[in-house]
Structures are given as structure tokens and as C-alpha cells.
Amino acid sequence: MCGIIACIGSDDAVGELLTGLENLEYRGYDSAGIAVQNGHGIAVRKKAGKISELKGAIAADVPDGSVGIGHTRWSTHGPPTDENAHPHTSQSEGVAVVHNGIIENYEVVRSRLMEEGYVFTSETDTEVIPHLIDHYMDQGDDVETAFERAIDDLDGSYAVALMVDGTDTVYAARQDSPLVVGVDDSGPETRYYLASDVPAFLEFTDRVMYLEDGDVARVTTDGIDVHDADGPVQRPIETVEWNAEETGKGQYEHYMLKEIHTQPEALRGTLSGRIEDGDVTLEEFPEGTFEGIEQVHLVACGTSFHAAKCGARQLVRAGIPASTFRASEYHDLQPVDERTLVVAVTQSGETADTLSALRRAEEAGASTVALTNVVGSTVSREADDTLYIRAGPEIGVAATKTFTSQVAALTLLTHRLAADLERGTVREDAAEFLAELEALPDRIEDLLGRTRASDVSESNMGRDAYFFIGRDFEYPVALEGALKFKEITYEHAEGFASGELKHGPLALVTPDATIFALLTGDRGEETRKNAEEARTRGARVIAVAPEGMDVGEMADDVLRVPDTHPDLAGLLANVQLQLVSYHTAYGLGREIDKPRNLAKSVTVE
């Protein structure tokens, strides 16, 4: 949630800050602001609304300077107003701060500072930070000491960047909220960036230093000094493989549409080098890695949870006890010990609830694996091992290509576990199945080239409700289809196991409802019967079916998917549902890449 950008040593601080904020707008778009050291103090400009509104507000009076900080906000404390926008300043206006996360004890700190005469102008938890720093500086502390003392007073999660009038230094600290440093040494003088996510500064540099929890950094044009509670530390500088072109929209009107259409490329990245001679080869997990494991827990949130449910079904099919848990509900639900493998599934690697579940599992002695998309993310550093999905950057808030890559990666991991564990059973049709998995990118390209999703969306506009039903592997896909639909269309959508319709949800079915029935997979015929039950109640039925299936008169329309292995067909059905959601949202005029109230990376619990 929220996006931080800072630049040090820039020829155009305001321009680079605004570029960074635009690149981070998927993390928060309720309000935005910048602060620049202009030689006469700290110039602060902030505005409720989108980045474009901030740009318009400062167009006639652009601050000048080479050092600055910026922020795009997703509201947690206080509504999106000019006053609640970051940066926040101290009473003297000599300290400016941007912050991601939640300060859990801010009310106590705020009351203490108000008793000492400090005046607050916002409803945010963040505003206590500049006042605290000012408080300690008034007591005689230098800037760095005051900053560290203020940070020590805070409970909760934070990534903080700080500027103080009269210096060209940016101070930063992180705890349970991501913060990375960009290093551009391509010119005569080195420039530095701070951000909550790498895409913020990819147009300027691909060299990155990942700060870790407990790190405090001091960044000047002369270099970076980092220390933790034990003293100075060295964090390596890495080159990221993503580039600015990958994080742009290219020829597409929306990031989401681009990411739907680049799923074949993303999936090839996931599978590359991992299937050889009809077998799975994972360098991360050599033979015997998982010996002794007796059960698998998959913890995740949102779209990643639906991918995890697909993974759990595969594991159970392979004879391995597996359960999926919503990360926020992972509280002593089942015994966890050293014979448990906990797989944390998170696109960003920074999802707060998933990280919390991972830490609880590690405290209980479980082995842990992170399944993520972001190299250097918190989950990849904290888990015992990591399996990267290698899907490339995903900017759209509604996850698409990463779901496909997560399921594919979990499919590979299932094969590895089945081979390692005594109770595991490698599927009898492994060679055929893996060949179809390798062919899946081509199947998706075929589907994208001849989908009718736009026509189906247009003919189903204005319905009262949209239900998505499926069985077995198609059930998590139905949940994911409903989630995508509600995320970006704002229409009422629900996903159900099709066999459960008659056990309650059928009461919601009216002639003004549309049912998307997933007839792919081995249990499509059973779902077909359930869809017919809904149709007799007057609902409109859209079948998502393989090319060769005759759906007869049970459906009002059909979305076809190319023939593939039945255990993979749900991923093709999912692409059709993504497109239906996109075209429906487009027809309704929704903010597709920036759905209301949502942000890409949920870094607070």
C-alpha cells in the first residue's frame, strides 16, 4: 500500500519524483505529494486525487532542487484530503516525512506530543513522525540521532524517508514494509533513489540495493551508509532483470489488458529450463530436499490464495496431505512442526498477512518455501527457500498473469514433492501432462487470437448478479473469476463450487443473473447439470467449454478454450474470465488499472 520515491543528486528532482509517483500509482492513488530541498527551505506540494491533479497544481510554480521525496497514498488513517496527503512536516516545517505502513501506537505518541504543545493538522498516523523528530532535535540531538530515537518510539510497520531543511541528505528506515535503493552511476556523478518498489526508478537505473528490516540508511550524493542495531552493514547492489519497457503499457490502453495478453510470455518464463526430457528439474530444490515432510500448508491472500487452492488440489492428487489457508486466518488451525512444509504464495513478496503467517510457521519449526515474483522481496529473504515464478513486473492492481504463473510454478513444485516423499505418487501420465504444460503458452495465444469475450460482455451488461461455478480444479478458477469481476467492474459477483448451488446459493438466482459455468476439466459434465438447474430458474448461462464439447441448449452463449489436458484447462478458462471482466469494466467506464479502494501490494495487516 502507498508508494514512496526519493531522489538525491538529481538535475530535475521534481520531474523525477513525479515520474516515480506515476510509476507507483498502482500502489495508491487517493492523494499524492512531493517535498523538495530548494535552498530556501523545504517546498511541499500535495493534493488529494490522482498524480495528474498534483502535476496540474504545481505546473505554475515548480519547486527547484536536486533532493526530494514523494508519496502516493492509499488511505488507512483519515480520508483522502489535501491535509492527509504526504509529505507531512513538523511544526517548524523544517522536517518532511513520507511513510508507508501503520504506526500502531500513534494515538499514544500523538497525545504525548500534543501535551507538549505540538499542533497536528491531519488525521494520519504518519504526522507523529516529523513532530517526534522535531521534538528530539529541540532537545539537542543531531538529525540522525533524532530520527533513530523517533523510529525507536514507533510500534508497527513502516518504511520512512526523511528530509531536513539545510541538508542534502535523505534518511530512511524500514520495518515490515519494503524499501529499496536505486544507484545510477552511469554519469559523471552518482545519483541515488529510494522507493517502495523497483518500477519507481527503472527509467533511471536497474541497479538496486534491498534494505532489510531494522536498517537505517543515510543517503547523500557521496554515497550510502546503512546500519542496523548491531552497527554498519553492507547490502549488495544487484542488477534487476526488468526494464522500463516491461513496466509500461506499450500498445495497450490498460496495464491489465497488456498483462492478460503477455501471459504466454510470462508463462514461458516460469517454465523455462524447468522441464527437461519429460521430467521436472528445479535447481532450487535438488533431489531429496523435502524428505521427511508429512504435510503441506499453503498460505496466501486474494488471487494468490486461489492459486494456492489449485496447488493444494494437485498435492492431494499426488497423495500428499495439503491444506490451503487464508494467511490472515492462519492461527493455530492445525498442528505445525518440523514435518510441515509451509508454502507462502505472494506475488509481491511483501504481503503483510502472508509474511506474518510465514513467521508463525517458522517459530513452530516448520520448513518454509516462498513462491513469489519479486527477487529480493522480504518473503524471499525470510523463507528457507524460494521458487520464483519469473512472470515479469505486474502493474495492474487486478492480478492476471501472475495467477497463471503461480499455478504453473505450484504444478512443478508438486511434481518435485511427489518424487521426494515416500507417500507421494508421481502422476502416471507425467510425460503427457508436462508436454501439455509446456504447450500451454501456445494454447493461450490461440485463445487470445479468437476470443469472443468482448461480445459476451456486451450482451451481459446491466445484470443484477454474476455467478461463477466450477468443480475440482475449476472451483478455484470460479473464485478467481468472481474476484476479478468484482475488483474492476464493482458489480455483484460470487464464485461457488457448482455442487453447492442447491445448498443455498440457488436462492440468489433470478432471471436477472448470469451464470458462468466452467465445463472444462474432468468434472465439466457435473457442472453442466448444475448450470441447467440455474437456467430453469431463468438465469442466463454462459458456458466456458472445450472446443469439442457440445453444450446443447443448456447455455445462452459459449466461450471456447483450446483442447488441452483436463487438469490444465482451467487456466485457459481463467483467461476467458479475465477478458470478460476487463471488457465489462471497460464498457462500464471503470478505472480498470486503479479500482476504487484497492492497491496492488497490501503491506499492512
Side-chain angles (χ1 to χ4, degrees), residues 258-271:
K258 175 191 175 183
E259 287 156 5
I260 291 172
H261 278 264
T262 55
Q263 282 180 104
E265 179 184 347
L267 191 52
R268 289 187 183 104
T270 302
L271 300 175

Side-chain angles (χ1 to χ4, degrees), residues 145-204:
T145 302
F147 179 52
E148 292 185 25
R149 290 183 68 185
I151 292 299
D152 286 343
D153 283 351
L154 306 179
D155 294 334
S157 61
Y158 52 79
V160 180
L162 156 74
M163 286 175 50
V164 176
D165 185 24
T167 76
D168 289 333
T169 302
V170 172
Y171 297 89
R174 70 155 284 176
Q175 183 65 46
D176 296 332
S177 195
L179 198 60
V180 297
V181 179
V183 182
D184 179 9
D185 51 9
S186 60
E189 295 184 358
T190 302
R191 295 184 297 175
Y192 297 93
Y193 302 89
L194 280 162
S196 48
D197 208 349
V198 172
F201 51 68
L202 264 181
E203 291 169 53
F204 311 121

